[in-house]
Amino acid sequence: QVQVVESGGGLVQAGGSLRLSCVASGTIYGINDMGWHRRVPGKEREEVANIDRNGNINYEDSVKGRFTISRDNAKNTVYLQMNDLKPEDTAAYYCSAYVRPTVSSYYANYWGQGTQVTVSS
């Protein structure tokens, strides 16, 4: 079993900062990509940022220069530092981890339950 758990969401004023954390735990042989996604009610989920195990990073255009993704491979943890938050960043944020549970299994995407980020104007 693989578990993915996010933490760090909350309510913040526009211009403020939050740091999200996500830990993958359980039976894990290896983790490739880890990423952050967000969903606003009535809209499709969008990928905010992702990072592979070598540190290669991609960002969605609207968060470039404001959000920073990082990871600690030893702790199976990925972070999202969010600065200069805007009301349009309000969403449920989800973590994903592309995990190979055992040496004999394939990689599969595992998702957390989400953490709410609300930015007031």
Side-chain angles (χ1 to χ4, degrees):
Q1 287 278 23
V2 176
Q3 296 84 39
V4 176
V5 179
E6 307 99 335
S7 61
L11 172 64
V12 64
Q13 289 188 332
S17 299
L18 283 174
R19 188 189 194 212
L20 306 183
S21 299
C22 168
V23 179
S25 63
T27 304
I28 296 175
Y29 178 77
I31 304 178
N32 199 341
D33 289 13
M34 300 186 81
W36 289 96
H37 313 252
R38 63 187 180 189
R39 183 166 59 198
V40 175
K43 294 186 177 181
E44 292 192 1
R45 185 175 59 203
E46 66 173 355
E47 184 174 64
V48 175
N50 67 70
I51 181 169
D52 70 16
R53 59 186 171 193
N54 296 318
N56 297 303
I57 292 172
N58 291 290
Y59 292 106
E60 193 269 331
D61 285 345
S62 70
V63 307
K64 286 180 181 177
R66 300 188 298 122
F67 290 10
T68 302
I69 190 171
S70 61
R71 69 188 276 176
D72 184 333
N73 290 334
K75 297 181 179 179
N76 293 336
T77 299
V78 64
Y79 306 96
L80 187 68
Q81 177 66 43
M82 305 185 292
N83 298 329
D84 189 24
L85 282 160
K86 306 176 185 299
E88 51 264 41
D89 294 318
T90 296
Y93 283 72
Y94 298 86
C95 175
S96 67
Y98 199 52
V99 177
R100 185 180 182 183
T102 69
V103 66
S104 59
S105 59
Y106 294 101
Y107 279 95
N109 226 15
Y110 292 84
W111 293 88
Q113 293 298 305
T115 184
Q116 180 66 34
V117 171
T118 303
V119 184
S120 63
S121 56

